[in-house]
Amino acid sequence: MEIEGACHCGGVRFSATSLTPYPYMRCYCSICRKTAGGYAINIMAQAETLRVSGEEYLGFYRARVEDEEHAGRFKISPGKRYFCRNCASALWAADPRWPEWIYPFASAIDTPLPEPPEVVHIMLAFAAPWISVPSGEGHRHFSRYPEESIEDWHKRHGFYQP
């Protein structure tokens, strides 16, 4: 599926091809909580198809994350969270550890996205106490990351669009 997105002020516009376009996963990690207003919803797209206009307005943030090898220490993540320097809209994340993918924020996508049959809430160990996380039928919860990848979730539901 071809997706198109933009920042709020329109300075940055982008498009890419997504094989996994269902915005089903809400992330409550401290980075998403602080940079996206409580939680973020990401989808996946093929990095090689990313086309951007307004690159002069792009900025990126590399988060400080726990160093798993050294308890109590932090390091800078290799991943970049791109945003518009004019209006601060979050646009997409990219990480050199997975160079074939970008992770657009669903909030930046202007193309109508399909409604997911369930919502997966991840990184709940880091959710703000004021966030009300929906529960019940159609909601799955994970303290950190689930075993199932975005691609595997789409394949399990028959939504993978090669």
PDB file of all heavy atoms in Angstrom, residues 8-44:
ATOM      1  N   HIS A   8       2.430  18.889  10.363  1.00  0.00           N
ATOM      2  CA  HIS A   8       1.270  19.760  10.527  1.00  0.00           C
ATOM      3  C   HIS A   8       1.357  21.015   9.665  1.00  0.00           C
ATOM      4  O   HIS A   8       0.375  21.436   9.060  1.00  0.00           O
ATOM      5  CB  HIS A   8       1.100  20.145  12.003  1.00  0.00           C
ATOM      6  CG  HIS A   8      -0.156  20.894  12.260  1.00  0.00           C
ATOM      7  ND1 HIS A   8      -0.180  22.255  12.396  1.00  0.00           N
ATOM      8  CD2 HIS A   8      -1.431  20.465  12.382  1.00  0.00           C
ATOM      9  CE1 HIS A   8      -1.424  22.648  12.601  1.00  0.00           C
ATOM     10  NE2 HIS A   8      -2.205  21.575  12.599  1.00  0.00           N
ATOM     11  N   CYS A   9       2.538  21.620   9.567  1.00  0.00           N
ATOM     12  CA  CYS A   9       2.672  22.860   8.798  1.00  0.00           C
ATOM     13  C   CYS A   9       2.812  22.620   7.299  1.00  0.00           C
ATOM     14  O   CYS A   9       2.734  23.560   6.512  1.00  0.00           O
ATOM     15  CB  CYS A   9       3.841  23.697   9.318  1.00  0.00           C
ATOM     16  SG  CYS A   9       5.494  23.062   8.917  1.00  0.00           S
ATOM     17  N   GLY A  10       3.018  21.374   6.881  1.00  0.00           N
ATOM     18  CA  GLY A  10       3.144  21.046   5.463  1.00  0.00           C
ATOM     19  C   GLY A  10       4.543  21.234   4.912  1.00  0.00           C
ATOM     20  O   GLY A  10       4.761  21.028   3.721  1.00  0.00           O
ATOM     21  N   GLY A  11       5.500  21.599   5.749  1.00  0.00           N
ATOM     22  CA  GLY A  11       6.870  21.794   5.289  1.00  0.00           C
ATOM     23  C   GLY A  11       7.537  20.508   4.839  1.00  0.00           C
ATOM     24  O   GLY A  11       8.345  20.513   3.918  1.00  0.00           O
ATOM     25  N   VAL A  12       7.206  19.390   5.495  1.00  0.00           N
ATOM     26  CA  VAL A  12       7.764  18.086   5.126  1.00  0.00           C
ATOM     27  C   VAL A  12       6.623  17.199   4.663  1.00  0.00           C
ATOM     28  O   VAL A  12       5.604  17.056   5.338  1.00  0.00           O
ATOM     29  CB  VAL A  12       8.481  17.408   6.326  1.00  0.00           C
ATOM     30  CG1 VAL A  12       9.032  16.044   5.908  1.00  0.00           C
ATOM     31  CG2 VAL A  12       9.583  18.290   6.880  1.00  0.00           C
ATOM     32  N   ARG A  13       6.811  16.620   3.493  1.00  0.00           N
ATOM     33  CA  ARG A  13       5.856  15.640   2.958  1.00  0.00           C
ATOM     34  C   ARG A  13       6.656  14.391   2.595  1.00  0.00           C
ATOM     35  O   ARG A  13       7.798  14.496   2.169  1.00  0.00           O
ATOM     36  CB  ARG A  13       5.137  16.176   1.732  1.00  0.00           C
ATOM     37  CG  ARG A  13       4.300  17.408   2.033  1.00  0.00           C
ATOM     38  CD  ARG A  13       3.390  17.797   0.881  1.00  0.00           C
ATOM     39  NE  ARG A  13       2.598  18.959   1.238  1.00  0.00           N
ATOM     40  CZ  ARG A  13       1.513  18.925   2.002  1.00  0.00           C
ATOM     41  NH1 ARG A  13       1.091  17.789   2.479  1.00  0.00           N
ATOM     42  NH2 ARG A  13       0.856  20.034   2.283  1.00  0.00           N
ATOM     43  N   PHE A  14       6.024  13.228   2.775  1.00  0.00           N
ATOM     44  CA  PHE A  14       6.736  11.994   2.451  1.00  0.00           C
ATOM     45  C   PHE A  14       5.758  10.935   1.959  1.00  0.00           C
ATOM     46  O   PHE A  14       4.553  11.026   2.187  1.00  0.00           O
ATOM     47  CB  PHE A  14       7.549  11.487   3.645  1.00  0.00           C
ATOM     48  CG  PHE A  14       6.714  11.028   4.815  1.00  0.00           C
ATOM     49  CD1 PHE A  14       6.404   9.681   4.987  1.00  0.00           C
ATOM     50  CD2 PHE A  14       6.257  11.933   5.750  1.00  0.00           C
ATOM     51  CE1 PHE A  14       5.647   9.261   6.062  1.00  0.00           C
ATOM     52  CE2 PHE A  14       5.509  11.524   6.836  1.00  0.00           C
ATOM     53  CZ  PHE A  14       5.199  10.180   6.992  1.00  0.00           C
ATOM     54  N   SER A  15       6.319   9.957   1.274  1.00  0.00           N
ATOM     55  CA  SER A  15       5.542   8.797   0.845  1.00  0.00           C
ATOM     56  C   SER A  15       6.447   7.577   0.905  1.00  0.00           C
ATOM     57  O   SER A  15       7.673   7.701   0.893  1.00  0.00           O
ATOM     58  CB  SER A  15       4.980   8.988  -0.569  1.00  0.00           C
ATOM     59  OG  SER A  15       6.034   9.079  -1.504  1.00  0.00           O
ATOM     60  N   ALA A  16       5.827   6.416   0.992  1.00  0.00           N
ATOM     61  CA  ALA A  16       6.563   5.153   1.038  1.00  0.00           C
ATOM     62  C   ALA A  16       5.576   4.024   0.786  1.00  0.00           C
ATOM     63  O   ALA A  16       4.357   4.222   0.822  1.00  0.00           O
ATOM     64  CB  ALA A  16       7.252   4.964   2.392  1.00  0.00           C
ATOM     65  N   THR A  17       6.104   2.843   0.557  1.00  0.00           N
ATOM     66  CA  THR A  17       5.281   1.657   0.385  1.00  0.00           C
ATOM     67  C   THR A  17       5.288   0.862   1.676  1.00  0.00           C
ATOM     68  O   THR A  17       6.348   0.569   2.228  1.00  0.00           O
ATOM     69  CB  THR A  17       5.824   0.774  -0.765  1.00  0.00           C
ATOM     70  OG1 THR A  17       5.833   1.555  -1.960  1.00  0.00           O
ATOM     71  CG2 THR A  17       4.970  -0.466  -0.964  1.00  0.00           C
ATOM     72  N   SER A  18       4.089   0.522   2.166  1.00  0.00           N
ATOM     73  CA  SER A  18       3.967  -0.274   3.387  1.00  0.00           C
ATOM     74  C   SER A  18       3.319  -1.611   3.062  1.00  0.00           C
ATOM     75  O   SER A  18       2.260  -1.656   2.429  1.00  0.00           O
ATOM     76  CB  SER A  18       3.112   0.460   4.425  1.00  0.00           C
ATOM     77  OG  SER A  18       2.950  -0.359   5.565  1.00  0.00           O
ATOM     78  N   LEU A  19       3.962  -2.676   3.494  1.00  0.00           N
ATOM     79  CA  LEU A  19       3.391  -4.020   3.384  1.00  0.00           C
ATOM     80  C   LEU A  19       2.620  -4.364   4.653  1.00  0.00           C
ATOM     81  O   LEU A  19       1.962  -5.392   4.727  1.00  0.00           O
ATOM     82  CB  LEU A  19       4.500  -5.056   3.162  1.00  0.00           C
ATOM     83  CG  LEU A  19       5.478  -4.768   2.021  1.00  0.00           C
ATOM     84  CD1 LEU A  19       6.562  -5.835   1.956  1.00  0.00           C
ATOM     85  CD2 LEU A  19       4.751  -4.663   0.699  1.00  0.00           C
ATOM     86  N   THR A  20       2.746  -3.493   5.655  1.00  0.00           N
ATOM     87  CA  THR A  20       2.153  -3.724   6.978  1.00  0.00           C
ATOM     88  C   THR A  20       1.449  -2.447   7.445  1.00  0.00           C
ATOM     89  O   THR A  20       1.884  -1.804   8.403  1.00  0.00           O
ATOM     90  CB  THR A  20       3.254  -4.131   7.975  1.00  0.00           C
ATOM     91  OG1 THR A  20       4.258  -3.100   7.970  1.00  0.00           O
ATOM     92  CG2 THR A  20       3.890  -5.464   7.604  1.00  0.00           C
ATOM     93  N   PRO A  21       0.343  -2.062   6.796  1.00  0.00           N
ATOM     94  CA  PRO A  21      -0.243  -0.746   7.029  1.00  0.00           C
ATOM     95  C   PRO A  21      -1.251  -0.630   8.176  1.00  0.00           C
ATOM     96  O   PRO A  21      -1.787   0.450   8.401  1.00  0.00           O
ATOM     97  CB  PRO A  21      -0.938  -0.454   5.700  1.00  0.00           C
ATOM     98  CG  PRO A  21      -1.401  -1.801   5.236  1.00  0.00           C
ATOM     99  CD  PRO A  21      -0.294  -2.743   5.650  1.00  0.00           C
ATOM    100  N   TYR A  22      -1.524  -1.712   8.893  1.00  0.00           N
ATOM    101  CA  TYR A  22      -2.521  -1.635   9.965  1.00  0.00           C
ATOM    102  C   TYR A  22      -1.908  -1.002  11.215  1.00  0.00           C
ATOM    103  O   TYR A  22      -0.949  -1.540  11.770  1.00  0.00           O
ATOM    104  CB  TYR A  22      -3.061  -3.031  10.310  1.00  0.00           C
ATOM    105  CG  TYR A  22      -4.106  -3.511   9.345  1.00  0.00           C
ATOM    106  CD1 TYR A  22      -3.756  -3.950   8.082  1.00  0.00           C
ATOM    107  CD2 TYR A  22      -5.455  -3.521   9.694  1.00  0.00           C
ATOM    108  CE1 TYR A  22      -4.716  -4.394   7.178  1.00  0.00           C
ATOM    109  CE2 TYR A  22      -6.425  -3.961   8.807  1.00  0.00           C
ATOM    110  CZ  TYR A  22      -6.048  -4.391   7.550  1.00  0.00           C
ATOM    111  OH  TYR A  22      -6.999  -4.815   6.655  1.00  0.00           O
ATOM    112  N   PRO A  23      -2.444   0.125  11.696  1.00  0.00           N
ATOM    113  CA  PRO A  23      -1.901   0.794  12.882  1.00  0.00           C
ATOM    114  C   PRO A  23      -2.437   0.163  14.168  1.00  0.00           C
ATOM    115  O   PRO A  23      -3.286   0.709  14.855  1.00  0.00           O
ATOM    116  CB  PRO A  23      -2.407   2.229  12.707  1.00  0.00           C
ATOM    117  CG  PRO A  23      -3.703   2.062  11.981  1.00  0.00           C
ATOM    118  CD  PRO A  23      -3.522   0.878  11.071  1.00  0.00           C
ATOM    119  N   TYR A  24      -1.921  -0.999  14.492  1.00  0.00           N
ATOM    120  CA  TYR A  24      -2.490  -1.814  15.571  1.00  0.00           C
ATOM    121  C   TYR A  24      -1.732  -1.723  16.891  1.00  0.00           C
ATOM    122  O   TYR A  24      -2.236  -2.111  17.938  1.00  0.00           O
ATOM    123  CB  TYR A  24      -2.533  -3.288  15.153  1.00  0.00           C
ATOM    124  CG  TYR A  24      -1.176  -3.945  15.190  1.00  0.00           C
ATOM    125  CD1 TYR A  24      -0.776  -4.668  16.312  1.00  0.00           C
ATOM    126  CD2 TYR A  24      -0.286  -3.815  14.140  1.00  0.00           C
ATOM    127  CE1 TYR A  24       0.478  -5.248  16.371  1.00  0.00           C
ATOM    128  CE2 TYR A  24       0.964  -4.389  14.190  1.00  0.00           C
ATOM    129  CZ  TYR A  24       1.343  -5.100  15.304  1.00  0.00           C
ATOM    130  OH  TYR A  24       2.581  -5.657  15.366  1.00  0.00           O
ATOM    131  N   MET A  25      -0.484  -1.225  16.876  1.00  0.00           N
ATOM    132  CA  MET A  25       0.370  -1.291  18.060  1.00  0.00           C
ATOM    133  C   MET A  25       0.586   0.085  18.669  1.00  0.00           C
ATOM    134  O   MET A  25       1.046   0.993  17.991  1.00  0.00           O
ATOM    135  CB  MET A  25       1.720  -1.912  17.690  1.00  0.00           C
ATOM    136  CG  MET A  25       2.627  -2.128  18.887  1.00  0.00           C
ATOM    137  SD  MET A  25       4.267  -2.750  18.433  1.00  0.00           S
ATOM    138  CE  MET A  25       3.869  -4.398  17.883  1.00  0.00           C
ATOM    139  N   ARG A  26       0.250   0.221  19.935  1.00  0.00           N
ATOM    140  CA  ARG A  26       0.474   1.468  20.664  1.00  0.00           C
ATOM    141  C   ARG A  26       1.648   1.272  21.612  1.00  0.00           C
ATOM    142  O   ARG A  26       1.643   0.368  22.433  1.00  0.00           O
ATOM    143  CB  ARG A  26      -0.765   1.853  21.458  1.00  0.00           C
ATOM    144  CG  ARG A  26      -1.942   2.165  20.568  1.00  0.00           C
ATOM    145  CD  ARG A  26      -3.150   2.557  21.365  1.00  0.00           C
ATOM    146  NE  ARG A  26      -4.280   2.746  20.461  1.00  0.00           N
ATOM    147  CZ  ARG A  26      -5.489   3.046  20.856  1.00  0.00           C
ATOM    148  NH1 ARG A  26      -5.753   3.183  22.148  1.00  0.00           N
ATOM    149  NH2 ARG A  26      -6.449   3.205  19.984  1.00  0.00           N
ATOM    150  N   CYS A  27       2.638   2.140  21.496  1.00  0.00           N
ATOM    151  CA  CYS A  27       3.839   2.044  22.326  1.00  0.00           C
ATOM    152  C   CYS A  27       3.801   3.115  23.408  1.00  0.00           C
ATOM    153  O   CYS A  27       3.627   4.303  23.121  1.00  0.00           O
ATOM    154  CB  CYS A  27       5.090   2.210  21.471  1.00  0.00           C
ATOM    155  SG  CYS A  27       6.609   2.093  22.449  1.00  0.00           S
ATOM    156  N   TYR A  28       3.992   2.687  24.656  1.00  0.00           N
ATOM    157  CA  TYR A  28       3.955   3.577  25.812  1.00  0.00           C
ATOM    158  C   TYR A  28       5.335   3.790  26.430  1.00  0.00           C
ATOM    159  O   TYR A  28       5.439   4.226  27.574  1.00  0.00           O
ATOM    160  CB  TYR A  28       3.024   2.995  26.877  1.00  0.00           C
ATOM    161  CG  TYR A  28       1.589   2.873  26.422  1.00  0.00           C
ATOM    162  CD1 TYR A  28       1.159   1.775  25.693  1.00  0.00           C
ATOM    163  CD2 TYR A  28       0.656   3.842  26.743  1.00  0.00           C
ATOM    164  CE1 TYR A  28      -0.161   1.638  25.283  1.00  0.00           C
ATOM    165  CE2 TYR A  28      -0.671   3.731  26.338  1.00  0.00           C
ATOM    166  CZ  TYR A  28      -1.070   2.631  25.610  1.00  0.00           C
ATOM    167  OH  TYR A  28      -2.374   2.513  25.205  1.00  0.00           O
ATOM    168  N   CYS A  29       6.411   3.483  25.695  1.00  0.00           N
ATOM    169  CA  CYS A  29       7.754   3.673  26.246  1.00  0.00           C
ATOM    170  C   CYS A  29       7.964   5.145  26.583  1.00  0.00           C
ATOM    171  O   CYS A  29       7.220   6.018  26.122  1.00  0.00           O
ATOM    172  CB  CYS A  29       8.821   3.169  25.274  1.00  0.00           C
ATOM    173  SG  CYS A  29       9.157   4.279  23.882  1.00  0.00           S
ATOM    174  N   SER A  30       8.986   5.436  27.370  1.00  0.00           N
ATOM    175  CA  SER A  30       9.206   6.825  27.781  1.00  0.00           C
ATOM    176  C   SER A  30       9.490   7.731  26.591  1.00  0.00           C
ATOM    177  O   SER A  30       9.128   8.909  26.609  1.00  0.00           O
ATOM    178  CB  SER A  30      10.343   6.901  28.800  1.00  0.00           C
ATOM    179  OG  SER A  30      11.558   6.500  28.210  1.00  0.00           O
ATOM    180  N   ILE A  31      10.104   7.213  25.555  1.00  0.00           N
ATOM    181  CA  ILE A  31      10.409   8.044  24.380  1.00  0.00           C
ATOM    182  C   ILE A  31       9.107   8.416  23.666  1.00  0.00           C
ATOM    183  O   ILE A  31       8.851   9.591  23.397  1.00  0.00           O
ATOM    184  CB  ILE A  31      11.367   7.317  23.416  1.00  0.00           C
ATOM    185  CG1 ILE A  31      12.633   6.880  24.137  1.00  0.00           C
ATOM    186  CG2 ILE A  31      11.712   8.224  22.233  1.00  0.00           C
ATOM    187  CD1 ILE A  31      13.424   5.823  23.408  1.00  0.00           C
ATOM    188  N   CYS A  32       8.269   7.434  23.374  1.00  0.00           N
ATOM    189  CA  CYS A  32       6.996   7.718  22.703  1.00  0.00           C
ATOM    190  C   CYS A  32       6.099   8.578  23.588  1.00  0.00           C
ATOM    191  O   CYS A  32       5.421   9.481  23.121  1.00  0.00           O
ATOM    192  CB  CYS A  32       6.283   6.424  22.334  1.00  0.00           C
ATOM    193  SG  CYS A  32       7.105   5.515  20.998  1.00  0.00           S
ATOM    194  N   ARG A  33       6.101   8.284  24.874  1.00  0.00           N
ATOM    195  CA  ARG A  33       5.279   9.041  25.817  1.00  0.00           C
ATOM    196  C   ARG A  33       5.681  10.517  25.812  1.00  0.00           C
ATOM    197  O   ARG A  33       4.838  11.408  25.781  1.00  0.00           O
ATOM    198  CB  ARG A  33       5.433   8.444  27.208  1.00  0.00           C
ATOM    199  CG  ARG A  33       4.647   9.166  28.275  1.00  0.00           C
ATOM    200  CD  ARG A  33       4.598   8.392  29.570  1.00  0.00           C
ATOM    201  NE  ARG A  33       5.827   7.806  30.032  1.00  0.00           N
ATOM    202  CZ  ARG A  33       6.677   8.395  30.872  1.00  0.00           C
ATOM    203  NH1 ARG A  33       6.432   9.595  31.316  1.00  0.00           N
ATOM    204  NH2 ARG A  33       7.762   7.773  31.254  1.00  0.00           N
ATOM    205  N   LYS A  34       6.971  10.781  25.807  1.00  0.00           N
ATOM    206  CA  LYS A  34       7.452  12.160  25.888  1.00  0.00           C
ATOM    207  C   LYS A  34       7.426  12.894  24.545  1.00  0.00           C
ATOM    208  O   LYS A  34       7.245  14.100  24.503  1.00  0.00           O
ATOM    209  CB  LYS A  34       8.887  12.194  26.422  1.00  0.00           C
ATOM    210  CG  LYS A  34       9.035  11.680  27.826  1.00  0.00           C
ATOM    211  CD  LYS A  34       8.796  12.769  28.813  1.00  0.00           C
ATOM    212  CE  LYS A  34       9.115  12.275  30.221  1.00  0.00           C
ATOM    213  NZ  LYS A  34       8.899  13.317  31.195  1.00  0.00           N
ATOM    214  N   THR A  35       7.628  12.175  23.446  1.00  0.00           N
ATOM    215  CA  THR A  35       7.714  12.848  22.147  1.00  0.00           C
ATOM    216  C   THR A  35       6.427  12.772  21.335  1.00  0.00           C
ATOM    217  O   THR A  35       6.302  13.477  20.338  1.00  0.00           O
ATOM    218  CB  THR A  35       8.870  12.277  21.303  1.00  0.00           C
ATOM    219  OG1 THR A  35       8.619  10.902  21.023  1.00  0.00           O
ATOM    220  CG2 THR A  35      10.202  12.445  22.001  1.00  0.00           C
ATOM    221  N   ALA A  36       5.481  11.958  21.750  1.00  0.00           N
ATOM    222  CA  ALA A  36       4.273  11.802  20.937  1.00  0.00           C
ATOM    223  C   ALA A  36       2.983  11.966  21.734  1.00  0.00           C
ATOM    224  O   ALA A  36       1.914  11.647  21.239  1.00  0.00           O
ATOM    225  CB  ALA A  36       4.298  10.446  20.239  1.00  0.00           C
ATOM    226  N   GLY A  37       3.042  12.420  22.965  1.00  0.00           N
ATOM    227  CA  GLY A  37       1.831  12.751  23.689  1.00  0.00           C
ATOM    228  C   GLY A  37       1.140  11.611  24.403  1.00  0.00           C
ATOM    229  O   GLY A  37      -0.077  11.536  24.403  1.00  0.00           O
ATOM    230  N   GLY A  38       1.857  10.732  25.027  1.00  0.00           N
ATOM    231  CA  GLY A  38       1.257   9.648  25.801  1.00  0.00           C
ATOM    232  C   GLY A  38       1.616   8.286  25.264  1.00  0.00           C
ATOM    233  O   GLY A  38       1.999   7.394  25.993  1.00  0.00           O
ATOM    234  N   TYR A  39       1.472   8.114  23.957  1.00  0.00           N
ATOM    235  CA  TYR A  39       1.894   6.886  23.281  1.00  0.00           C
ATOM    236  C   TYR A  39       2.001   7.176  21.796  1.00  0.00           C
ATOM    237  O   TYR A  39       1.507   8.205  21.318  1.00  0.00           O
ATOM    238  CB  TYR A  39       0.939   5.716  23.542  1.00  0.00           C
ATOM    239  CG  TYR A  39      -0.463   5.905  23.000  1.00  0.00           C
ATOM    240  CD1 TYR A  39      -0.765   5.639  21.675  1.00  0.00           C
ATOM    241  CD2 TYR A  39      -1.488   6.332  23.826  1.00  0.00           C
ATOM    242  CE1 TYR A  39      -2.047   5.807  21.183  1.00  0.00           C
ATOM    243  CE2 TYR A  39      -2.765   6.500  23.354  1.00  0.00           C
ATOM    244  CZ  TYR A  39      -3.046   6.239  22.017  1.00  0.00           C
ATOM    245  OH  TYR A  39      -4.316   6.418  21.533  1.00  0.00           O
ATOM    246  N   ALA A  40       2.638   6.288  21.071  1.00  0.00           N
ATOM    247  CA  ALA A  40       2.768   6.441  19.627  1.00  0.00           C
ATOM    248  C   ALA A  40       2.267   5.190  18.937  1.00  0.00           C
ATOM    249  O   ALA A  40       2.337   4.092  19.494  1.00  0.00           O
ATOM    250  CB  ALA A  40       4.220   6.700  19.238  1.00  0.00           C
ATOM    251  N   ILE A  41       1.758   5.365  17.749  1.00  0.00           N
ATOM    252  CA  ILE A  41       1.331   4.246  16.911  1.00  0.00           C
ATOM    253  C   ILE A  41       2.227   4.268  15.677  1.00  0.00           C
ATOM    254  O   ILE A  41       2.230   5.244  14.932  1.00  0.00           O
ATOM    255  CB  ILE A  41      -0.142   4.379  16.483  1.00  0.00           C
ATOM    256  CG1 ILE A  41      -1.054   4.475  17.694  1.00  0.00           C
ATOM    257  CG2 ILE A  41      -0.528   3.203  15.574  1.00  0.00           C
ATOM    258  CD1 ILE A  41      -2.508   4.799  17.348  1.00  0.00           C
ATOM    259  N   ASN A  42       2.997   3.220  15.508  1.00  0.00           N
ATOM    260  CA  ASN A  42       3.879   3.111  14.346  1.00  0.00           C
ATOM    261  C   ASN A  42       3.362   2.052  13.392  1.00  0.00           C
ATOM    262  O   ASN A  42       2.741   1.076  13.804  1.00  0.00           O
ATOM    263  CB  ASN A  42       5.293   2.700  14.762  1.00  0.00           C
ATOM    264  CG  ASN A  42       6.026   3.788  15.494  1.00  0.00           C
ATOM    265  OD1 ASN A  42       5.556   4.905  15.625  1.00  0.00           O
ATOM    266  ND2 ASN A  42       7.198   3.459  15.981  1.00  0.00           N
ATOM    267  N   ILE A  43       3.642   2.256  12.124  1.00  0.00           N
ATOM    268  CA  ILE A  43       3.484   1.203  11.132  1.00  0.00           C
ATOM    269  C   ILE A  43       4.866   1.002  10.526  1.00  0.00           C
ATOM    270  O   ILE A  43       5.821   1.655  10.947  1.00  0.00           O
ATOM    271  CB  ILE A  43       2.406   1.552  10.071  1.00  0.00           C
ATOM    272  CG1 ILE A  43       2.750   2.835   9.324  1.00  0.00           C
ATOM    273  CG2 ILE A  43       1.036   1.661  10.725  1.00  0.00           C
ATOM    274  CD1 ILE A  43       1.787   3.151   8.194  1.00  0.00           C
ATOM    275  N   MET A  44       4.987   0.129   9.558  1.00  0.00           N
ATOM    276  CA  MET A  44       6.277  -0.138   8.939  1.00  0.00           C
ATOM    277  C   MET A  44       6.178   0.157   7.448  1.00  0.00           C
ATOM    278  O   MET A  44       5.124  -0.050   6.860  1.00  0.00           O
ATOM    279  CB  MET A  44       6.617  -1.622   9.129  1.00  0.00           C
ATOM    280  CG  MET A  44       7.962  -1.878   9.697  1.00  0.00           C
ATOM    281  SD  MET A  44       8.203  -3.582  10.282  1.00  0.00           S
ATOM    282  CE  MET A  44       7.852  -4.603   8.896  1.00  0.00           C
TER     283      MET A  44
END
